[in-house]
Every structure is written in C-alpha cells, then in structure tokens.
Amino acid sequence: MGKRIKKLKKIRIHREGTDTLVWSFVIIAAIALILWRYVDTIIPFWAFVVIFGSVYAVVLNFFRCPIRYNSEEDTEKLVVAPADGKIVVIEEVEENVYFHEKRLMISIFMSLFNVHANWFPVDGKVKYVHHQNGNYHKAWLPKASEENEHADIIITTPEGVDILCRQIAGAVARRIVTYAKEGEECFIDEHLGFIKFGSRVDVYLPIDSEVCVKMGQSTTGDLTTIAKLK
C-alpha cells in the first residue's frame, strides 16, 4: 500500500462547519450590538453574550477537524477508531445485508462535545459505498444501527479482508457526509466523512479479530487501536 507520509499534527475547522460558524457569529454579533446600543440596562447584553457565547463555543469545538497521524509504523492488520467518542457496543452479531455471517461489531457513540470527523479504520481499497435513508432513533440504541439513516462503506484490506464501516445518524444528526469513493485506495489517517450533531459509527470485523478496547472506553479517532485482524 505504500508508506504513509507523516506530518506535524494540526487542528483546523472542518469545511462542513464553515457556513454554520460564520453565519452564527454574524447573527450573534448583530444581536449583541443591538442589545448594547439600544437597551438601557446592560444585563440583557451580558446574559445574551454568556449564554450564546457558550453555545457557540460548543459548536466551534464540534466542528474542529484535527489532522492526525497514527504513530504505528506498520498498520498491517490494524483497525483504528473511526471516530472520537465512547465504546458502546462490543458483540457478535448476524450481519445479513452484505456478509451473511456472524461478525464482530464495535460501536462508537459521539456526543455533541466530540469531534465529528470520521477516519478510515483500515488501510485498503473502497469496495462499496451506499447511503440508506431511515429513522432518527437515539444513536446508542441497538436498533439505530439498522433502522436509522446511515451510510455503509466496505473496505478491502491489502490482505483481502472486507471490513464494513457504518456512519449512523442520531436523534439530532440530520446530515451524513461520506467522502469515500468506490474503487479508491484509502489509508488510516485519511478522513472518511463527517456526521453533523450527535451520532455513531459501527465497524463490522471478522469474528476472530482481536479486540483491543473495552466497553465505556473513550476513543480518539485515527489514534486508538480498537482491534487487530488475524
């Protein structure tokens, strides 16, 4: 697959949030100016600034887009977390849409306070991409994996193992963005996509994969090793 180029870590604002952040700032600044100039008491101004400034800070944190580089020199058979968040599922399931066999599913739930950029969990080649409309159940519920709006990305590793990565919309999330394209090579360290506001990512692995995380563990996208393929 070739050696991945290492660079310095950087943090930027994700392009998916540029319009939201710019227009939100303009509106907040305009209302704050009106309160400052045309209201006799200063209390409404400061109340507005504190409340909406805090909300804006949360949204700004949400749209951070860290540029990360995994420290492992050899990523063969390595499966990394595709998202920041918390491990909410580690279990064997019947995957009857693509593989029609038992698979090991590891799920990561992302809260509003997590970065919502998604990374490729393995090196390989994108075999299949599909977006499925659906419901908006709370992302941590078991039925969310199949019934919620989601995007499926199947990646074939250099060893010929197929991995399914599923981006899932939650009760608040209303937009899934997938950058993966069928036929393209993909690597750990590259962005797979983005999900706006509260969501989940499932990874379906071969049943004999070695699990490297535990329930409730926090994950850092692209950096936390969640499993190793046999």
Side-chain angles (χ1 to χ4, degrees):
M1 294 301 293
K3 189 176 181 179
R4 295 172 297 123
I5 298 174
K6 302 289 185 180
K7 299 180 181 179
L8 295 175
K9 293 181 181 179
K10 299 178 180 178
I11 293 180
R12 59 185 176 183
I13 299 301
H14 203 284
R15 66 176 182 267
E16 300 297 337
T18 302
D19 289 345
T20 299
L21 291 170
V22 169
W23 285 110
S24 296
F25 180 82
V26 170
I27 293 171
I28 290 172
I31 295 174
L33 181 61
I34 292 172
L35 293 174
W36 177 265
R37 296 193 62 179
Y38 298 106
V39 177
D40 293 335
T41 175
I42 202 170
I43 294 177
F45 167 80
W46 283 114
F48 178 83
V49 169
V50 169
I51 294 172
F52 285 91
S54 299
V55 173
Y56 188 83
V58 171
V59 176
L60 182 64
N61 176 74
F62 171 87
F63 281 115
R64 284 185 300 121
C65 182
I67 303 174
R68 296 172 179 162
Y69 297 94
N70 194 285
S71 61
E72 296 289 337
E73 290 297 329
D74 184 9
T75 56
E76 182 181 356
K77 299 183 181 179
L78 195 69
V79 184
V80 301
D84 288 11
K86 183 174 70 173
I87 301 291
V88 293
V89 176
I90 303 174
E91 64 181 13
E92 295 181 7
V93 299
E94 288 288 343
E95 203 298 305
N96 295 316
V97 178
Y98 303 107
F99 304 121
H100 303 285
E101 63 182 15
K102 274 194 173 183
R103 282 270 162 160
L104 174 66
M105 184 176 75
I106 301 178
S107 301
I108 299 172
F109 173 72
M110 295 172 280
S111 74
L112 286 173
F113 300 100
N114 290 125
V115 169
H116 272 50
N118 300 150
W119 285 262
F120 285 102
V122 294
D123 294 332
K125 188 174 183 179
V126 180
K127 180 178 182 179
Y128 180 75
V129 179
H130 175 71
H131 183 275
Q132 178 67 50
N133 292 327
N135 295 316
Y136 295 96
H137 301 301
K138 293 178 180 178
W140 58 81
L141 296 177
K143 61 183 178 182
S145 183
E146 296 182 356
E147 296 183 12
N148 278 21
E149 178 181 348
H150 59 269
D152 289 343
I153 302 95
I154 296 179
I155 304 163
T156 303
T157 70
E159 297 74 38
V161 179
D162 285 344
I163 303 299
L164 169 62
C165 184
R166 175 171 290 165
Q167 298 173 285
I168 304 170
V172 179
R174 286 297 183 272
R175 188 182 179 200
I176 297 174
V177 181
T178 304
Y179 304 137
K181 303 295 183 184
E182 290 182 17
E184 291 186 350
E185 289 191 337
C186 61
F187 300 91
I188 291 171
D189 294 343
E190 293 181 342
H191 283 135
L192 175 150
F194 193 94
I195 312 177
K196 290 190 174 182
F197 300 114
S199 39
R200 167 177 160 176
V201 180
D202 294 346
V203 181
Y204 291 80
L205 305 171
I207 206 71
D208 62 352
S209 300
E210 177 188 351
V211 179
C212 300
V213 289
K214 58 185 179 181
M215 286 290 293
Q217 179 178 332
S218 295
T219 61
T220 302
D222 191 55
L223 301 184
T224 302
T225 298
I226 62 172
K228 292 181 181 178
L229 303 176
K230 295 293 185 181

